[in-house]
Amino acid sequence: MNQTKSTESQEPLSAAVAEQPQVSGFVSLESIAAALNVSGLEPRDVLARMHEDLQRALQKPPAERRWAMVIDLRKCVGCHACTIACIAENKLPPGVVYRPVVEQERGIYPNVRRVFVPRPCLQCDEPSCVPVCPVNATYKNEEGVTVMDYDRCIGCRYCLNACPYNSRTADFGHTYVNKNLPIMDGVLVGRNEADDYERAANYEYGEARKRTNGYDSPIGNARKCHFCLHRVYEGELPACTTTCIGRATYFGDMNDPDSLIVELINQPNAIRLREELGTKPKVYYLV
Amino acid sequence: MTEKNLTPENEQEKVPVEGAQEQAASPAPRKSFQITTNHILWGAGILVFLIGSIGLFQRFTEGLRPTSLGSYVPWGLWVAAYEYLVWLEVGSLLVFTSLLYVFKWPKALARMAPTLYLTALAILSMALILIGLDLGHPFRFWHVLVWPQWGSMLTWMIIAHMVYMLVLLGKLALELLPYRPVFRPISKWLSIISMPMGIALVVIAGSVFGVVMGRPSWQGSGLPVLFLVSALVAGTGLLTFLYIWFMRDNSQEYVELARRLGKLLLAFLVINLMVTVLSSFVILYPGVPAQSTALQLTLFGPYWWLFWIFYLGLGVIVPIILLMTQTQTARRIGLAAGLLITTFFAVALNIVIPTQMAINSVERDLVTAYQGPGLRAEYFPTANEWLVTLFALAFGFLVFLFGFTVLRLRPHVEVPAEEAAK
């Protein structure tokens, strides 16, 4: 909470920096620190605050917490670290993506600006993908996260068409390793080693699932972001949150009034995508 | 009992319906082997089946990877084919039963019941193969029965189709078994309940698309109605084609009934054309991109020819001209019906595919945000998809041939006893 106040409740940063003494036209780090009203390592990383919030939330019964995410579009620099972290964490195969970052170029030269919008599953409170599933393979769990039962899913891909945010992808069993890759024994990027790594188990939903053959789940299934619940239950933040270099992604329990996530959601500039659909997403954007 | 109204193969085979056992028992002069139409049809069916099996083998060894399906266009040729086949299967039976039981058409029409039921079963087998192979996990189809989600239209569609299949099998069983008086009320009731069930199946199939929030072009009450109209058009086309092909003779009664069917087909064609024009106008006029992009793709996109040439040209305008000419012959009516049922597949393709491809315009930034196989908004069926489709079509064709030649599910040569008794 201290850090949030220190960075956001002060006078505009540009004005404060301008008042500081400058050397050779460059802005010194000291002046930035002074402008931020911080000294040394005083301000806590928001990750530390979110970790504390997370530990508090995990003390509660699952049904009493509601996980949510806030993405500050002003802070997103479009580095795609969250996309890569998600792929690494969940060992996503080619063609499956849980958190693409949409890039938009706005304006006409010279008044041009690039905008980056990370697009994970929005974890709707009224998800349109859930009721269409003919076998109840996708459902909203007691913590409000829409999850998949890979062993029940028949792979009809109805949920993909039902999602108005196009947040789901289908796993068709593609692999990064192919016969064109050189073998290079003993080298990690060689065909054999890379193939072994690619087929090793991931731990989505806390289950070890190897991709040893071409048809066992999750191959053939619909796949989606699940807020890295397997990490959350171990007291870790989702991979996209911890790797965000701009600290643009926040995660926490909406039911905890003292949490950072609730502070941010209550900001007047917090919006949700396509509110008119009534899906009530639990991913908010700060604009 | 005459042979004149038997099928083309019979003209060569001349298989007598009565006294067959006596003939078989008596020594007949040994004939040299002759290639008949039957042989050619079986050979062609098996050949296409084997060619299609290559695709099936690929489907089971490589999954859906050899297809053009993806995450932005998750439904393609097989789903479109399923919808089209449902229209044919349900529509033909619905029109047939309605004409006989509701509109009291001449009982001569009832003579083609066995062949029509057999055709419907063959089409049903094609449809189920294709929709089953479209699943990421085809062998989990039974999950729908064990863990059904009653709020899903897909659950209802699968259940409705299975129940409909049972009714159809019941009707076929009655045709195959030696006639008993008790069959009459059973057959009648199966026919009567097949009508609302058929309507329900088609409307539910349309609702599968109509309730989808993610695709605004599908969403709404339009598609269930359009599906019903499409089933009536395609079904009438199939019924007319089958009647003209399998019942052909030189009698005045035959020509009269063919003309009546032709008029009915013409009426449905015009209604379908009006629905197409009006619905297109209503969508294009406000020009809301989320709704109109798909239609614009249909009309002016990469597959414009599918709509303008196949559907509108060969499937609507040419059949209308053929059906409106003064010198109407059964052959012309049959040609019109044949053209219609062949090209009507374009309607299903245009409903299923452009709407999904519209994401390329509506959410282009998302499509280009991350690259990978299946993350494309374009779609054209791959060789594997065509091969699997061929396999399904060949399978259905062989089912039909088996029923027609081995089980002898052929048009009755006389009006069935139960029909005549009414």
Side-chain angles (χ1 to χ4, degrees):
Chain A
M1 183 156 326
N2 292 336
Q3 192 275 343
T4 308
K5 281 182 181 170
S6 68
T7 56
E8 295 183 6
S9 63
Q10 301 301 314
E11 59 187 310
L13 179 61
S14 55
V17 170
E19 287 173 9
Q20 300 300 316
Q22 296 182 10
V23 181
S24 307
F26 290 99
V27 180
S28 67
L29 288 174
E30 290 76 13
S31 65
I32 293 174
L36 291 169
N37 195 20
V38 297
S39 58
L41 298 173
E42 266 293 309
R44 283 193 312 161
D45 193 312
V46 290
L47 289 177
R49 167 83 186 277
M50 285 191 281
H51 264 288
E52 281 178 11
D53 292 348
L54 183 61
Q55 298 305 327
R56 205 165 50 247
L58 289 172
Q59 303 302 315
K60 298 194 290 185
E64 290 181 18
R65 50 196 189 220
R66 277 171 76 220
W67 302 118
M69 187 172 276
V70 171
I71 299 170
D72 191 339
L73 296 185
R74 299 163 304 178
K75 289 184 175 177
C76 180
V77 296
C79 67
H80 298 268
C82 54
T83 310
I84 304 302
C86 174
I87 291 166
E89 175 66 32
N90 296 298
K91 298 190 87 227
L92 301 183
V96 177
V97 61
Y98 291 171
R99 192 180 161 104
V101 177
V102 171
E103 296 186 17
Q104 291 177 338
E105 193 169 290
R106 293 182 185 168
I108 299 171
Y109 179 83
N111 302 313
V112 186
R113 178 168 183 166
R114 288 182 74 77
V115 179
F116 310 100
V117 186
R119 287 279 295 273
C121 167
L122 303 186
Q123 306 295 354
C124 305
D125 254 348
E126 300 289 341
S128 57
C129 54
V130 167
V132 300
C133 176
V135 293
N136 287 300
T138 189
Y139 57 93
K140 201 172 76 169
N141 73 7
E142 55 185 344
E143 296 156 280
V145 179
T146 301
V147 294
M148 287 290 306
D149 182 341
Y150 285 144
D151 293 323
R152 188 179 288 187
C153 173
I154 59 174
C156 65
R157 303 182 296 285
Y158 198 7
C159 52
L160 270 72
N161 269 328
C163 175
Y165 306 101
N166 297 295
S167 296
R168 288 171 172 251
T169 44
D171 188 341
F172 290 105
H174 293 286
T175 53
Y176 287 102
V177 179
N178 58 50
K179 61 185 177 186
N180 297 323
L181 199 67
I183 293 177
M184 295 193 291
D185 277 331
V187 180
L188 184 61
V189 294
R191 192 196 306 169
N192 293 337
E193 280 72 9
D195 191 54
D196 289 345
Y197 173 75
E198 190 167 22
R199 294 185 187 284
N202 71 350
Y203 288 92
E204 280 184 285
Y205 306 111
E207 297 166 345
R209 289 182 181 275
K210 295 180 181 176
R211 293 174 77 81
T212 45
N213 57 40
Y215 48 84
D216 278 348
S217 287
I219 293 171
N221 294 131
R223 299 184 68 173
K224 67 180 291 298
C225 162
H226 37 70
F227 274 172
C228 280
L229 281 179
H230 58 285
R231 285 173 61 92
V232 170
Y233 293 151
E234 299 298 322
E236 298 291 335
L237 292 165
C240 55
T241 309
T242 55
T243 50
C244 179
I245 63 166
R247 298 292 186 262
T249 301
Y250 304 86
F251 178 80
D253 174 18
M254 279 178 83
N255 283 352
D256 180 357
D258 297 326
S259 65
L260 175 60
I261 201 91
V262 171
E263 275 181 35
L264 296 171
I265 286 170
N266 290 334
Q267 297 285 328
N269 59 336
I271 63 154
R272 297 190 290 192
L273 293 185
R274 303 188 68 181
E275 288 265 26
E276 76 278 8
L277 296 176
T279 50
K280 301 176 185 167
K282 288 197 292 295
V283 172
Y284 292 76
Y285 290 91
L286 296 180
V287 294
Chain B
M1 191 174 291
T2 60
E3 299 251 337
K4 65 181 179 181
N5 50 8
L6 289 182
T7 56
E9 301 94 273
N10 294 355
E11 287 169 11
Q12 294 182 26
E13 277 187 59
K14 294 288 180 191
V15 178
V17 177
E18 291 175 351
Q21 286 179 337
E22 289 80 352
Q23 276 202 8
S26 61
R30 197 178 180 85
K31 287 181 181 175
S32 61
F33 179 76
Q34 282 186 326
I35 294 177
T36 64
T37 312
N38 251 351
H39 292 132
I40 293 170
L41 290 175
W42 273 103
I46 290 169
L47 181 68
V48 177
F49 180 85
L50 291 175
I51 293 170
S53 299
I54 298 168
L56 190 73
F57 176 77
Q58 210 181 3
R59 169 68 186 84
F60 283 120
T61 51
E62 297 182 46
L64 290 169
R65 285 192 296 281
T67 68
S68 193
L69 299 168
S71 294
Y72 298 134
V73 187
W75 290 346
L77 178 69
W78 298 337
V79 170
Y82 173 80
E83 305 304 339
Y84 164 69
L85 293 169
V86 167
W87 295 344
L88 285 178
E89 166 205 343
V90 177
S92 57
L93 287 185
L94 185 61
V95 174
F96 176 74
T97 317
S98 306
L99 292 180
L100 279 181
Y101 288 90
V102 181
F103 299 101
K104 308 293 181 191
W105 273 41
K107 302 297 179 199
L109 192 65
R111 285 163 47 199
M112 62 181 300
T115 310
L116 186 66
Y117 299 151
L118 175 65
T119 310
L121 184 74
I123 293 174
L124 182 145
S125 67
M126 298 176 196
L128 292 185
I129 287 173
L130 286 175
I131 205 67
L133 291 174
D134 188 72
L135 297 177
H137 288 281
F139 298 114
R140 293 184 187 171
F141 70 92
W142 54 273
H143 286 195
V144 182
L145 302 175
V146 180
W147 297 292
Q149 157 90 283
W150 297 112
S152 171
M153 284 297 112
L154 209 52
T155 306
W156 286 105
M157 188 184 81
I158 292 165
I159 289 174
H161 210 160
M162 289 175 73
V163 175
Y164 197 77
M165 182 174 71
L166 291 178
V167 172
L168 189 54
L169 287 172
K171 296 283 288 179
L172 270 170
L174 294 181
E175 293 293 339
L176 282 168
L177 293 169
Y179 179 75
R180 289 196 172 89
V182 71
F183 288 176
R184 201 179 130 193
I186 297 173
S187 176
K188 183 182 174 185
W189 279 108
L190 281 177
S191 296
I192 288 171
I193 62 168
S194 75
M195 284 191 277
M197 281 176 57
I199 293 171
L201 173 56
V202 170
V203 170
I204 290 169
S207 304
V208 166
F209 295 86
V211 300
V212 162
M213 186 187 279
R215 303 286 178 258
S217 307
W218 286 341
Q219 204 184 347
S221 57
L223 276 190
V225 176
L226 186 65
F227 267 49
L228 189 57
V229 173
S230 300
L232 291 173
V233 178
T236 308
L238 180 62
L239 180 68
T240 307
F241 183 81
L242 291 175
Y243 177 81
I244 288 170
W245 184 263
F246 287 108
M247 305 286 287
R248 66 174 183 264
D249 62 17
N250 297 321
S251 70
Q252 190 59 30
E253 187 189 28
Y254 163 77
V255 176
E256 277 304 312
L257 201 48
R259 282 185 179 155
R260 286 184 75 174
L261 281 168
K263 282 178 186 168
L264 185 67
L265 184 60
L266 179 63
F268 278 134
L269 264 174
V270 171
I271 291 170
N272 185 56
L273 186 62
M274 282 168 58
V275 169
T276 306
V277 171
L278 288 175
S279 58
S280 302
F281 173 75
V282 169
I283 292 169
L284 288 177
Y285 187 87
V288 179
Q291 291 170 333
S292 63
T293 307
L295 185 57
Q296 284 172 347
L297 269 175
T298 304
L299 300 178
F300 313 113
Y303 309 127
W304 60 270
W305 42 269
L306 205 56
F307 177 84
W308 295 105
I309 297 177
F310 273 79
Y311 166 66
L312 199 61
L314 296 172
V316 176
I317 293 174
V318 174
I320 285 178
I321 292 169
L322 285 170
L323 293 169
M324 287 181 79
T325 48
Q326 291 298 315
T327 53
Q328 226 181 48
T329 60
R331 189 172 291 228
R332 277 194 183 190
I333 297 167
L335 178 63
L339 268 175
L340 169 82
I341 56 178
T342 316
T343 57
F344 211 70
F345 184 33
V347 178
L349 286 169
N350 280 332
I351 287 174
V352 174
I353 293 165
T355 294
Q356 298 172 92
M357 283 172 62
I359 188 179
N360 209 19
S361 305
V362 180
E363 266 213 292
R364 175 138 193 88
D365 297 325
L366 179 64
V367 175
T368 55
Y370 188 78
Q371 307 291 312
L375 295 177
R376 296 178 307 119
E378 289 84 31
Y379 176 82
F380 190 82
T382 59
N384 174 259
E385 287 170 85
W386 290 115
L387 283 173
V388 170
T389 308
L390 274 183
F391 170 84
L393 295 180
F395 183 89
F397 182 66
L398 292 176
V399 166
F400 179 85
L401 273 185
F402 180 79
F404 197 81
T405 59
V406 179
L407 301 179
R408 309 195 69 76
L409 284 162
R410 302 178 177 199
H412 296 294
V413 287
E414 292 170 348
V415 177
E418 73 259 36
E419 296 297 338
K422 286 179 211 161

